Amino acid sequence: MSTKLDTIVKYAHRNGFIFPSSEIYGGYSSVYDFGPLGKLLKDNLVQAWRDYMVTFRDDVVEIEGAIFLHPKVWEASGHIGGFADLLVEDTVTNKRYRADHLIEDAGIMDNADSLSLEETDKVIADNKILSPDGNPLTKAKQFNLLVQTHLGATIDDSTVAYLKGEACQNIYVNWKLVQETSRRKLPFGIAQLGKAFRNEITVKQYIFRTREFEQIDLQFFVKPGEEDKWYEFWKDYRYKFYTEYLGYNTEHIKFRQHEKLVFYAKDAWDIDYEFGAVGFKELEGLHNRTDYDTKQHSEFSGKDLRYRDPETNEQYFPYVIETSLGVNRLLLSSLFEFYNEEAIAGSEESRIVLKFPYHIAPYKIAILPLMKKDGLADSAKEIYMNLRKKGILADMDMAGSIGKRYRRQDEIGTPWCVTVDYETLSEGTVTIRHRDTMEQLRIDIEDIESYLNNETFGEF
Ligand code: GAP
């Protein structure tokens, strides 16, 4: 049975992964905070992306750009003119809705954002779609998603600033500086983790669509004419990130080509993920952005952003292949992917277990002293601190029966538990238990580390 969104929401709250922002004030406008386990999981997922996209490759460098960019960036990028969703208004309550969401919710079609303004009006009229309050709707109009603010001591047109509508604009603006200072030749890529802000008309489905989020992007710069080959390469590489590097079930991942293209793209595909009972939804976007961005910024800044081929001296604007993934959606997909409720063989009990692979599990190991007394807690603390000092994130839990503590660690996806007992004091050994098989083994304290990142669980 598919996991329901509500199950994940409660799970993530109960275990300190995700809280509504300013919850004591009733939450705020679809903004969320990450608690201790959410923060660990998020960092591990971002690190997995960084390893796969940057560290394991010799053709990608990473940068970190500021949130504020010169307002002209957003003019050049096309966001001031064209970064909009279609909005309709309830003619009685004046509440505003995204037109494509109402069409989708009415079951008329999926991906209604591919419709033009005229088509949207026609579908709403033909199907007599009303607002959620049952009232007629206005005609659709464009609604710009950029979040505006003012920087400086006066508030007028001259101080208007925008928060980033998409994180990647720093990369295009800096691309030549990066290429020259890191002495790169095409093809090569620039990766970045960055905040993005969108004044989304409707925010729904938890952290899936928020007004503030992080994107992890790769912009891969190639010679014109080579873009199709590289586009195919990156589609395949990103698919393997999910199915091989994170271990997602291949049945939960599929590609979908956009029918209507965003203003900067020549071709666009989404990687959709099956978010349990919610169904398939966009997880990541892959775009062939052509030379749109490098050309636009060259024109608007007056700076020559063309690449000079060192062998031929030929000059041209590079084409860009983009892979762009929202960190919230990655985290949410990982909760759906690894959440399991299962019966425990040979008992009446069941357990919730998160079967995270080792590299993304928030805690790698938990140290559980059988008792607090007789020096067991001290011995456990020593093992725990020794692991943490080596950079292995261990948890220590002393409350309740060992069975209860195993359940707690299963529920947060800790791959290994170590129990410290009287034999630990006399023999220097511990019991190590694996989360998925629940099998246990007696080993020397010194051997604990050799078990940790053991995907085959050889000895068991
Ligand atoms: N630079 C390209 C770009 O921004 P996008 O398809 O608009 O393309 C890329 O966004 C990814 O960012 C999406 O696939 C999704 O994972 C994430 N994303 C977009 N809007 C979001 C929102 N409102 N809340 C959370 N994540 C979002």
Side-chain angles (χ1 to χ4, degrees), residues 83 165-168 172 198 200 203 207-215 217 219 258 264 270 282-285 287 289 322 324-330:
F83 188 46
E166 55 173 359
C168 59
Y172 310 129
R198 295 184 186 173
E200 299 277 358
V203 267
I207 60 167
F208 183 82
R209 189 178 306 285
T210 48
R211 295 196 168 107
E212 171 190 342
F213 54 98
E214 280 174 329
Q215 290 179 316
D217 291 333
Q219 310 295 327
H258 283 212
Y264 52 71
D270 284 343
E282 175 186 345
L283 176 59
E284 159 167 351
H287 310 118
R289 295 182 72 127
E322 166 180 72
S324 182
L325 164 65
V327 178
N328 288 354
R329 290 193 195 177
L330 177 61

Side-chain angles (χ1 to χ4, degrees), residues 180-209:
E180 286 171 359
T181 54
S182 59
R183 301 182 312 282
R184 294 281 161 171
K185 285 190 204 158
L186 293 193
F188 86 101
I190 305 178
Q192 184 183 235
L193 158 72
K195 284 264 183 193
F197 303 84
R198 295 184 186 173
N199 194 11
E200 299 277 358
I201 300 165
T202 44
V203 267
K204 52 179 194 175
Q205 282 167 350
Y206 195 37
I207 60 167
F208 183 82
R209 189 178 306 285

Side-chain angles (χ1 to χ4, degrees), residues 72-92:
K72 274 219 148 199
V73 169
W74 301 108
E75 226 179 284
S77 69
H79 283 77
I80 290 179
F83 188 46
D85 281 334
L86 292 180
L87 168 150
V88 285
E89 204 168 304
D90 180 312
T91 52
V92 177

